[in-house]
Amino acid sequence: MINREQYEPGPANVAEVRKDGESWTLVLVRQLRHSPEKVWKALTDPTQLREWAPFDVDGSLDKAGNMVKLTTVGAPSAQVVETTVTRADPEKALEYKWGGFNMRWELEDISGGTRLTLWTNIGHRYIAMGAAGWHVCFDVLDHLLSGNPIGRIVGPEAMKFPGWQRLNAEYSKQFGVEALQW
């Protein structure tokens, strides 16, 4: 069991980037030692999202057609976006927009857990920062699901963690982009 002060993200090995013309997509894959049912609840339940995701949501994301407000956490000013869940196949797939970004989550039942994949479009300049941020979110999610919550680490707070700076630099190098500093 580790606490928040002991947390150090692992190596920059969960993200890749795909480019199609001027469109950039960040793809993150994480093997979790938890059932698809447990991971699905963490992706759709507002209470659990509040523990690990970079946004708060005012309703459940568990049904296609649900309209919700997503509020960015840690931004200089609250950014609230209304969205509709466009796909919700329990324990398999979830899709919605967060601002101008498509969010597609896929859950694959694998031996001993779930392979969680996130696809999201992102601006070229922010691809390494996005990878570092989501990497930390995935770590926090894994701790939450393991019964050892360390609390949400997002936005400017995440950037203060030495591990985030390292991830940003490593992902920048991997993707061949300039490491933005804040």
Side-chain angles (χ1 to χ4, degrees):
M1 301 278 261
I2 69 165
N3 63 34
R4 188 181 188 86
E5 289 73 37
Q6 297 167 318
Y7 165 68
E8 177 70 26
N13 63 1
V14 301
E16 64 180 71
V17 65
R18 297 187 183 159
K19 187 173 186 284
D20 182 19
E22 293 303 309
S23 177
W24 292 75
T25 301
L26 182 60
V27 182
L28 294 104
V29 180
R30 182 68 177 265
Q31 310 288 343
L32 299 168
R33 301 172 311 262
H34 313 284
S35 70
E37 178 183 14
K38 193 171 185 179
V39 175
W40 175 258
K41 189 156 177 69
L43 293 177
T44 60
D45 177 63
T47 303
Q48 290 195 43
L49 285 163
R50 202 170 292 118
E51 294 294 320
W52 69 272
F55 54 78
D56 288 332
V57 62
D58 71 347
S60 180
L61 299 172
D62 67 346
K63 289 184 180 62
N66 280 6
M67 291 189 65
V68 295
K69 290 181 183 173
L70 302 175
T71 304
T72 304
V73 174
S77 60
Q79 298 176 354
V80 180
V81 177
E82 286 190 27
T83 194
T84 301
V85 177
T86 55
R87 181 177 177 196
D89 297 329
E91 301 171 30
K92 293 189 179 0
L94 176 66
E95 295 181 20
Y96 53 91
K97 284 190 182 286
W98 180 24
F101 304 106
N102 297 315
M103 304 292 291
R104 184 174 89 213
W105 301 88
E106 289 190 5
L107 296 81
E108 182 182 346
D109 191 353
I110 57 172
S111 176
T114 303
R115 176 180 294 117
L116 178 63
T117 305
L118 167 64
W119 284 266
T120 183
N121 57 312
I122 190 167
H124 171 259
R125 292 188 59 209
Y126 303 102
I127 200 96
M129 289 178 66
W134 280 112
H135 183 124
V136 171
C137 286
F138 276 32
D139 284 355
V140 173
L141 170 62
D142 192 29
H143 282 281
L144 173 69
L145 294 174
S146 296
N148 182 32
I150 59 174
R152 177 164 49 189
I153 303 171
V154 296
E157 180 186 4
M159 294 176 196
K160 293 177 187 174
F161 274 80
W164 185 92
Q165 297 292 337
R166 177 184 50 77
L167 285 173
N168 185 38
E170 289 176 10
Y171 281 125
S172 294
K173 186 175 180 183
Q174 280 180 36
F175 302 153
V177 297
E178 181 181 344
L180 293 179
Q181 303 298 322
W182 292 84

